Every structure is written in structure tokens, then in C-alpha cells.
Amino acid sequence: MIVVSSFEQSENLELAIINLQQNGINKQRILAVPFDKRREERKLFDSIHRSDGVSLFDIAAALGTAFSVLGASYGFILKWGPIIWGLIGFAVGAILGFIIDYFYTKMKTKDRNKVPTPFTEVVLIVECSESDSRMVSEILWTNLALGVSIVGKSSLSQPTNSQTQM
């Protein structure tokens, strides 16, 4: 049997490995795989190949529309006319909306990067006999595993016919 579990990088992971070894699981049957963490900051602008669902043009479009309507309305009174003042209003509103959205999104992503969220940092894979799988699972749960799954028969130690013919 193969028991797969996920852990945060902590003392509990080390204690789980030690408890498994003390209960008869060979060190060669335990595999701990750590994940690399993202080192680059999130990008504010989307590309055609990547999008995070945050748009910087929503408020810009809304304010651009509102300011262009106001500019066109007051343009009947002002010297250059409604079309020019509508375009000026649109440009001012769009720029103002983009600046507001840019700084709001920048602060929101900065706050999101500050808050540590619990996530899987290490996956622990244990190969054991079917009779030991319940004991291994209990050891992992008592050492605060984030999740544990027991996968059927072990195929790691005995290659199948298709693997030996390659």
C-alpha cells in the first residue's frame, strides 16, 4: 500500500517520520518531497496567455463614461463644444479611474502577500504493507497532517510486465 499525506514544513513532519521509523517502517520506504515557493511578485497587467481575473480597466471605463457624459453636457455651455469636452471628460475620467484601480489593486495584492495562508509545503509518501497502512495513517493524522490518502497495492517495489518489457 502507498500512503500519501501532505504537511506544512514543521516539527510535526519530523516527528511523523521518526514515529514511522520507530514503528517498523524502513527509511527507504519513506519519501518526503518539499515544494518550491513562488519567489516572484504577482504581475498587475494581464497578457494574452495569463490572467489572474483582476481587471484594471473597470473603474477607468465607468469613470470615463461618467466624465464624458458630464463633459458633453457642460460642453453646450463651454467654448469648445460638447464633442471636445466629452472627449476631454472621457480622457480625464479614464486616467483617474485607472490610477484609482492601479493603487487599489497594488495595495490589495500587497496585503494578500503579507497574510500567511496554510498550504501544503511537503508531500510525504510512505510505502507499507496492507496491515500497516492503518497504523501509518493514524501516525500521520496524530502528527497534524493536512490530508492523508491510502492508495491501493504498491507497484513501486515489483515492476509489472509492461515495465519490464520496455
Side-chain angles (χ1 to χ4, degrees):
M1 303 291 282
I2 296 176
V3 181
V4 180
S5 61
S6 60
F7 282 89
E8 291 181 24
Q9 183 68 43
S10 66
E11 305 86 32
N12 294 325
L13 172 64
E14 302 295 329
L15 290 173
I17 293 172
I18 290 170
N19 285 342
L20 289 171
Q21 290 176 353
Q22 289 174 347
N23 285 303
I25 304 297
N26 193 350
K27 188 164 52 170
Q28 283 75 26
R29 302 276 183 199
I30 301 172
L31 175 65
V33 182
F35 289 116
D36 289 336
K37 293 183 182 176
R38 173 171 278 216
R39 287 179 169 62
E40 65 185 35
E41 284 191 27
R42 300 182 73 169
K43 295 182 176 28
L44 286 177
F45 295 102
D46 295 339
S47 69
I48 194 168
H49 301 291
R50 181 200 58 80
S51 174
D52 58 359
V54 177
S55 175
L56 291 178
F57 298 105
D58 294 341
I59 295 177
L63 286 181
T65 303
F67 279 42
S68 68
V69 168
L70 291 173
S73 298
Y74 287 112
F76 285 106
I77 301 169
L78 298 174
K79 183 177 181 183
W80 290 343
I83 295 176
I84 298 296
W85 281 107
L87 291 173
I88 291 171
F90 175 76
V92 169
I95 291 170
L96 182 66
F98 180 77
I99 290 171
I100 290 170
D101 220 356
Y102 176 78
F103 286 113
Y104 175 74
T105 304
K106 190 154 180 100
M107 286 191 312
K108 191 169 74 172
T109 57
K110 188 185 294 183
D111 291 341
R112 189 183 307 161
N113 291 338
K114 285 182 184 176
V115 177
T117 56
F119 53 89
T120 301
E121 289 186 0
V122 178
V123 173
L124 187 68
I125 303 171
V126 180
E127 184 181 18
C128 61
S129 65
E130 193 170 340
S131 60
D132 290 339
S133 63
R134 183 168 173 83
M135 179 260 313
V136 169
S137 176
E138 288 176 11
I139 288 173
L140 297 175
W141 280 122
T142 57
N143 286 292
L144 304 176
L146 297 175
V148 175
S149 178
I150 299 174
V151 182
K153 301 275 184 202
S154 172
S155 63
L156 295 178
S157 58
Q158 300 149 353
T160 61
N161 289 338
S162 62
Q163 290 175 339
T164 57
Q165 293 175 354
M166 290 182 162

